[in-house]
Amino acid sequence: MNEKIIILDFGSQFTQLIARRLREIGIYCEIKPYNKVKSVDADTKAIILSGSPFSVLDENALMPDIQHLIGTIPIMAVCYGAQWIAKTQGGIVHKSNKREYGKANLNFEIKDDPLFEGVEDGAQVWMSHSDSVLSVPEGYEVIASTADIPVAAYRSAAGKYSNAVYCVQFHPEVTHSLQGKELLENFVKKIAGCRCDWTPASFIDMTVEELKAKIGDEHVILGLSGGVDSTVAASLLHKAIGDQLHCIFLDNGLLRKDEFTEVMKSYEGMGFNITGVDATNEFLDELEGIFDPEEKRKTIGRVFIEVFQREAKRINNAAWLAQGTIYPDVIESVSVHGPSVTIKSHHNVGGLPDLLNLKIVEPLRMLFKDEVRRVGRELGISEHLVGRHPFPGPGLAIRVLGPLDREKIRLCQEADAIYINLLREHDLYNKVWQAGAILLPVQSVGVMGDERTYEFTIALRCVNSVDGMTAEWSHLPHEFLAKVSSEIINKIKGINRVVYDISTKPPATIEWE
């Protein structure tokens, strides 16, 4: 039996963090919209209710249909979830005079509760809510308070249900709750009774068996990008179906310098059955002069489909199209808010399976980015491939701002190559999440020897992140940045100025377009 925990999403910005913490503990979990779960299967060991930006006191409050499950399975409710339990079970919830936001310290009202084993009395937690539980329902008892909140945590009293219900009005999943992981681990192990044996190795075994059963003796086409997601997806498929996997790697002229040749060489000996296709001219001819980022993406998507469709038809007996979709993409498409308002067009190649008349298989759809890397290492994929920085789907088309042409793409490639190579030389590449050079549509005056120049500006971007959802700019040493700037300006004719981007995400994004 494969254990799992279901997380009901009420729209909290922290819902993915709950999932990440549970995965770190070693329990498989899935995020489901609050209104999409009415029953659970035998594999489900517990349910966690997330927080929410909404209020349970609103006329159109989010109401899950799980009343019949309360007490039949261990439940942990966080913030909005805790207030929903109180309101629907007969307690009293009221709107606070002010939003309770920030650090607070727990005071245990019941000191030997298993939820708090190993958690210090007075432990720091993180509050973020505008409603508060004023009194708990009959048959429930307060187990913790803070200086400002009399009901910081409560539980169903012994004997009320066959399985306990725990409710907290703080966020144990965020790092500001200093012992939040211990609290979640107590719920998972001591209250839900989970074995916590979900590992990269167990994921591989489970996925390979599922792929064998799903695909049978049919053939699969996968578009390789050279990135970690498509590489790990290809490795899992190859482990499951061997030569039935056919990979296509397109050079669209927008890759890093020499990337097509280097990646093809990296894949040698992996048995992926790869066809390399140089489609540089087809892409760059169509992109010449385009400056609007959305038009760049749409053009790349259209040409990709045309080229991929042509190459895929050369493969006989293909019934499946494999994609490197990962869990954040899945969550976004089924969140409580529905699909994101704006989905970048280069991700929207959903028409390709229909054009090719193929079924979809997504081996990584339940993994976060860092989990994909751990699975890749477990599969024995080289660190050069597993540890590669993320690279945008449209490639350098969105790192060359403004109108595109071959010379600007070359300048960006050369600057990026110097930057990335120096990060590797100075042992910085594996210490950051993503780095790249952006060619700005700005020319400025410079001095080279006795001559005045009027050339382009390169912006260097480098961020630290876990999964790309948020990002902090990397504090690279000033001496290192000075060396990168000097190398780029001295070695690349056409660039006379280098700047460093120190914006966080949000409010900025990692890429500029």
Side-chain angles (χ1 to χ4, degrees):
M1 182 182 293
N2 298 312
E3 296 179 334
K4 68 181 175 184
I5 288 179
I6 298 296
I7 302 168
L8 293 194
D9 181 21
F10 292 90
S12 169
Q13 62 179 319
F14 300 135
T15 301
Q16 285 198 38
L17 277 180
I18 300 175
R20 296 191 60 78
R21 298 292 174 258
L22 297 187
R23 299 278 184 92
E24 289 167 6
I25 292 166
I27 179 68
Y28 176 69
C29 60
E30 294 179 11
I31 297 173
K32 304 283 188 183
Y34 76 95
N35 56 352
K36 298 297 183 183
V37 174
K38 296 184 179 180
S39 62
V40 294
D41 56 31
D43 292 352
T44 304
K45 299 288 287 183
I47 296 173
I48 294 181
L49 312 185
S50 83
S52 177
F54 306 107
S55 168
V56 297
L57 301 175
D58 290 345
E59 184 178 344
N60 297 317
L62 310 181
M63 294 291 171
D65 187 12
I66 61 163
Q67 289 281 9
H68 56 292
L69 296 178
I70 294 175
T72 68
I73 186 172
I75 289 176
M76 183 174 184
V78 177
C79 284
Y80 182 95
Q83 293 146 13
W84 177 80
I85 292 280
K87 184 174 186 295
T88 56
Q89 296 292 299
I92 298 175
V93 179
H94 74 130
K95 191 166 288 294
S96 305
N97 294 328
K98 63 177 182 177
R99 181 173 178 81
E100 290 157 344
Y101 182 85
K103 300 172 184 176
N105 298 95
L106 289 181
N107 301 312
F108 296 154
E109 303 297 328
I110 297 177
K111 296 188 182 299
D112 61 350
D113 190 278
L115 187 68
F116 296 136
E117 186 172 320
V119 178
E120 297 175 3
D121 196 355
Q124 177 183 298
V125 294
W126 185 260
M127 297 284 181
S128 180
H129 58 96
S130 55
D131 296 337
S132 285
V133 176
L134 191 62
S135 66
V136 300
E138 185 178 348
Y140 288 77
E141 54 193 356
V142 178
I143 57 174
S145 61
T146 69
D148 297 320
I149 303 174
V151 185
Y154 66 99
R155 72 180 184 192
S156 56
K160 181 171 178 65
Y161 300 122
S162 59
N163 284 281
V165 177
Y166 278 87
C167 304
V168 298
Q169 287 206 99
F170 54 88
H171 287 276
E173 67 273 22
V174 303
T175 54
H176 297 301
S177 292
L178 298 183
Q179 291 186 279
K181 186 176 179 182
E182 287 92 328
L183 187 148
L184 287 170
E185 190 165 356
N186 286 337
F187 175 75
V188 168
K189 292 182 177 179
K190 301 180 184 304
I191 296 161
C194 298
R195 296 187 306 272
C196 295
D197 55 2
W198 193 73
T199 63
S202 66
F203 170 82
I204 291 168
D205 291 341
M206 178 182 70
T207 303
V208 167
E209 290 306 311
E210 288 177 352
L211 290 170
K212 286 179 179 177
K214 177 183 284 189
I215 296 167
D217 58 0
E218 295 176 322
H219 287 241
V220 178
I221 299 173
L222 170 66
L224 278 175
S225 68
V228 62
D229 296 341
S230 67
T231 301
V232 174
S235 294
L236 284 167
L237 284 159
H238 183 258
K239 190 175 179 66
I241 62 172
D243 290 343
Q244 294 164 236
L245 173 67
H246 306 266
C247 296
I248 298 172
F249 183 26
L250 298 185
D251 184 357
N252 58 9
L254 301 165
L255 304 175
R256 301 174 181 94
K257 183 181 179 181
D258 300 327
E259 181 170 25
F260 182 73
T261 302
E262 291 174 3
V263 169
M264 286 293 289
K265 187 172 183 179
S266 297
Y267 284 139
E268 287 178 3
M270 296 182 73
F272 286 174
N273 210 359
I274 304 176
T275 300
V277 180
D278 183 357
T280 299
N281 289 330
E282 289 179 74
F283 280 88
L284 298 190
D285 287 348
E286 292 290 320
L287 287 164
E288 185 80 25
I290 294 178
F291 66 89
D292 179 70
E294 191 65 6
E295 191 177 350
K296 289 177 184 178
R297 288 187 169 91
K298 288 179 177 177
T299 302
I300 291 167
R302 173 176 57 78
V303 179
F304 176 85
I305 288 175
E306 291 169 0
V307 176
F308 196 90
Q309 186 176 13
R310 182 184 69 219
E311 296 299 324
K313 285 181 177 178
R314 302 174 196 252
I315 300 169
N316 296 323
N317 306 317
W320 297 85
L321 177 69
Q323 294 185 332
T325 309
I326 61 176
Y327 202 31
D329 303 323
V330 175
I331 296 167
E332 182 181 62
S333 68
V334 296
S335 75
V336 64
H337 301 290
S340 295
V341 175
T342 301
I343 299 175
K344 292 176 182 176
S345 299
H346 71 279
H347 288 146
N348 190 16
V349 290
L352 188 57
D354 294 332
L355 287 169
L356 298 174
N357 194 28
L358 298 176
K359 297 173 283 188
I360 287 288
V361 59
E362 298 168 314
L364 308 178
R365 64 179 282 109
M366 302 312 293
L367 295 185
F368 289 101
K369 189 77 166 187
D370 57 318
E371 293 173 328
V372 174
R373 287 199 168 97
R374 289 202 292 272
V375 167
R377 293 184 179 105
E378 184 71 26
L379 285 163
I381 300 172
S382 72
E383 193 61 33
H384 178 73
L385 288 169
V386 172
R388 296 189 78 201
H389 289 180
F391 191 65
L396 296 181
I398 60 167
R399 289 187 179 175
V400 175
L401 308 194
L404 283 174
D405 62 47
R406 283 170 168 78
E407 176 59 14
K408 289 178 183 174
I409 292 168
R410 186 193 69 80
L411 290 175
C412 192
Q413 283 177 328
E414 295 290 342
D416 182 78
I418 289 172
Y419 184 25
I420 298 301
N421 288 337
L422 285 172
L423 282 168
R424 291 188 186 279
E425 286 177 22
H426 288 257
D427 196 28
L428 292 168
Y429 184 86
N430 292 324
K431 296 176 181 177
V432 298
W433 164 266
Q434 182 175 346
I438 298 96
L439 185 75
L440 305 185
V442 174
Q443 290 176 280
S444 61
V445 174
V447 178
M448 302 286 280
D450 294 327
E451 298 179 8
R452 289 171 68 83
T453 61
Y454 192 64
E455 296 177 338
F456 286 102
T457 298
I458 280 286
L460 303 178
R461 184 72 160 137
C462 189
V463 298
N464 286 78
S465 181
V466 174
D467 52 22
M469 305 298 289
T470 60
E472 291 285 338
W473 62 276
S474 303
H475 292 244
L476 297 177
H478 291 179
E479 297 81 3
F480 170 78
L481 291 172
K483 183 171 180 62
V484 175
S485 175
S486 176
E487 291 272 313
I488 289 174
I489 292 171
N490 287 328
K491 291 185 176 180
I492 307 175
K493 183 174 175 56
I495 298 171
N496 67 358
R497 194 176 298 271
V498 175
V499 298
Y500 189 55
D501 181 353
I502 58 170
S503 310
T504 61
K505 176 188 178 180
T509 54
I510 295 176
E511 299 295 339
W512 280 42
E513 284 191 344

